[in-house]
Amino acid sequence: MKKLTLILPFLFILIAQIVFGQDKKTEKLKLEAGFDLATTYLWRGFEFGNGPVVQPWAKLGYKGFAAGVWGTTNFTGDSKEVDLYLNYSFGNFTLSFIDLFSMGIEGLDQNFFNFSSDISSHVAELGLSYGGSEKFPLTVSGGVLLYGQSLDPKVSDPAKLNHSTYFEVGYPGTIEDYTYSVFAGFVPTESSFYQTDGFSFINVGFKVGKSIAINDHFSIPTNFTLATSPERKTVCLALMCSF
């Protein structure tokens, strides 16, 4: 994993070259940034931290490629995460790589540049998603963990990486001014990362969204999510506003 420590600086330099080294092609670049406010950090049926969170993000897109950073922290500061990702979209498909760096986990190294599998706070996922179409109106996504031994060891042999995998199927739609999605996410095998002993549904629920108009020029996208975990017998609610 030491090679990743060397690759990251060059990745940032490459992104900077794309941004500042363009001439007539700058109109094809798209830079976005913002933040979300949520009542809780809800991810794949898990609820992290205590209380409301702020989640800043920034993304640079060029044609089908996108590179970005996303973070989350609660108002007490005891739950923090910084994620870096690369996406490539083609048709209705998106191939993605994301590195998640969670801070404050007891026993793990908080050095961002340490990717050593036994003590690192990093975990990375390679994923593929399908956005749906008129002929096949379902969204389908899946992702496999590539590294992060300290967070994803095998249940039967903690000295080995489990490569936990997650799949999710959703049915999106609209009703008047509202969007919605009914979804079901599952893990096919045992996983210490997802806290399962075998095939398990860990994220089943629905999301409802609406853009609230403040005036003729400004509106606030909002969404409400109800997620249950049949595996852990839990239920989570989250309200999010995007700015």
Side-chain angles (χ1 to χ4, degrees):
M1 297 305 172
K2 292 183 178 179
K3 293 182 179 179
L4 289 171
T5 306
L6 299 175
I7 291 173
L8 279 176
F10 290 102
L11 178 61
F12 287 121
I13 293 173
L14 177 61
I15 293 174
Q17 284 284 77
I18 294 175
V19 175
F20 300 109
Q22 300 292 323
D23 294 320
K24 295 181 180 180
K25 296 182 180 179
T26 53
E27 70 275 9
K28 296 181 180 180
L29 287 171
K30 186 176 182 181
L31 180 62
E32 299 175 88
F35 68 94
D36 302 321
L37 291 176
T39 55
T40 188
Y41 175 18
L42 185 59
W43 182 77
R44 294 182 179 176
F46 290 90
E47 190 173 10
F48 297 97
N50 298 308
V53 293
V54 57
Q55 299 175 330
W57 59 271
K59 179 174 70 172
L60 176 67
Y62 179 68
K63 295 185 177 179
F65 292 92
V69 58
W70 179 92
T72 183
T73 181
N74 60 3
F75 288 91
T76 58
D78 59 1
S79 178
K80 298 180 180 180
E81 181 180 321
V82 175
D83 303 341
L84 300 175
Y85 65 87
L86 292 171
N87 290 344
Y88 177 65
S89 298
F90 48 101
N92 291 330
F93 293 89
T94 298
L95 180 66
S96 62
F97 170 83
I98 182 170
D99 177 276
L100 304 92
F101 180 71
S102 299
M103 291 169 270
I105 299 179
E106 186 177 352
L108 299 185
D109 192 352
Q110 298 302 294
N111 179 358
F112 178 80
F113 296 99
N114 183 0
F115 293 85
S116 178
S117 62
D118 56 345
I119 58 175
S120 175
S121 291
H122 286 272
V123 64
E125 181 182 78
L126 181 66
L128 181 65
S129 62
Y130 172 75
S133 65
E134 291 185 3
K135 294 183 178 180
F136 188 79
L138 296 178
T139 60
V140 182
S141 62
V144 57
L145 300 187
L146 301 180
Y147 61 80
Q149 178 66 51
S150 57
L151 296 173
D152 187 39
K154 281 189 174 182
V155 175
S156 57
D157 186 358
K160 296 182 179 179
L161 189 63
N162 191 66
H163 294 301
S164 293
T165 305
Y166 174 84
F167 294 98
E168 185 173 303
V169 179
Y171 180 76
T174 59
I175 299 177
E176 296 183 347
D177 296 333
Y178 292 86
T179 62
Y180 69 87
S181 177
V182 181
F183 56 85
F186 64 92
V187 177
T189 61
E190 65 175 14
S191 168
S192 57
F193 186 81
Y194 292 112
Q195 303 175 15
T196 65
D197 295 325
F199 180 94
S200 302
F201 281 96
I202 64 170
N203 185 29
V204 179
F206 66 90
K207 177 185 292 187
V208 177
K210 179 179 174 62
S211 187
I212 300 176
I214 304 302
N215 55 43
D216 292 339
H217 306 286
F218 181 69
S219 61
I220 301 176
T222 63
N223 66 72
F224 166 86
T225 302
L226 171 67
T228 64
S229 174
E231 168 69 16
R232 300 188 308 279
K233 308 298 189 296
T234 59
V235 61
C236 303
L237 293 172
L239 177 66
M240 177 182 290
C241 298
S242 302
F243 299 89

